Amino acid sequence: MAQPPYDPYGYGSNDPYAPQPYSQPPVQHHYYGGAAPVSRGTNGMATAAMVLGLVGIVSCGTTSILAIIFGHVAQSQIKRTHEEGQGMATAGLILGYIVTGLWLIVWVFYIWLWAIVFGSAASTSTTY
């Protein structure tokens, strides 16, 4: 009984011209069933609402009113079109309401302070 030649690397016979055992090519799967899922995109009004709510902090609340308007419009559009951006619209609304409320308190306090200052100056009259 003849022993096969030593093959240290596991490549089979050392003779490159020796017949090799038949192996089938790898099976390739082609799936033509459906397309890749399409991204619905983010609603632009929702993005604008969040940005305007953030900018309202430094703009004395003027853009926070627009954030409230854009946030409500964005939420209605998202319900209708099923776009992304529900969280940004909600964040814009919350920021808009909070910043508008805080700036209203600041302005009311500011006007009240000036009324106190000028009211007390007008009520104290000196006659010489």
Side-chain angles (χ1 to χ4, degrees), residues 82-95:
H82 301 290
E83 288 178 303
E84 301 284 328
Q86 180 71 32
M88 286 197 295
T90 305
L93 277 171
I94 291 171
L95 282 170

Side-chain angles (χ1 to χ4, degrees), residues 18-38:
Q20 299 294 324
Y22 178 76
S23 65
Q24 294 187 353
V27 178
Q28 295 181 354
H29 296 283
H30 298 283
Y31 297 104
Y32 297 110
V38 178

Side-chain angles (χ1 to χ4, degrees), residues 59-114:
S59 69
C60 299
T62 55
T63 61
S64 59
I65 296 168
L66 291 173
I68 294 169
I69 295 168
F70 286 175
H72 283 292
V73 171
Q75 282 188 336
S76 67
Q77 286 179 354
I78 289 169
K79 283 181 186 176
R80 189 177 68 245
T81 62
H82 301 290
E83 288 178 303
E84 301 284 328
Q86 180 71 32
M88 286 197 295
T90 305
L93 277 171
I94 291 171
L95 282 170
Y97 280 122
I98 289 174
V99 171
T100 300
L102 289 175
W103 277 108
L104 280 175
I105 291 170
V106 167
W107 281 110
V108 166
F109 178 74
Y110 183 73
I111 292 170
W112 174 77
L113 187 64
W114 278 103

Side-chain angles (χ1 to χ4, degrees), residues 44-56 67 70-71 87-89 91-93 95:
M45 288 282 198
T47 306
M50 190 175 74
V51 169
L52 289 172
L54 289 170
V55 172
F70 286 175
M88 286 197 295
L93 277 171
L95 282 170

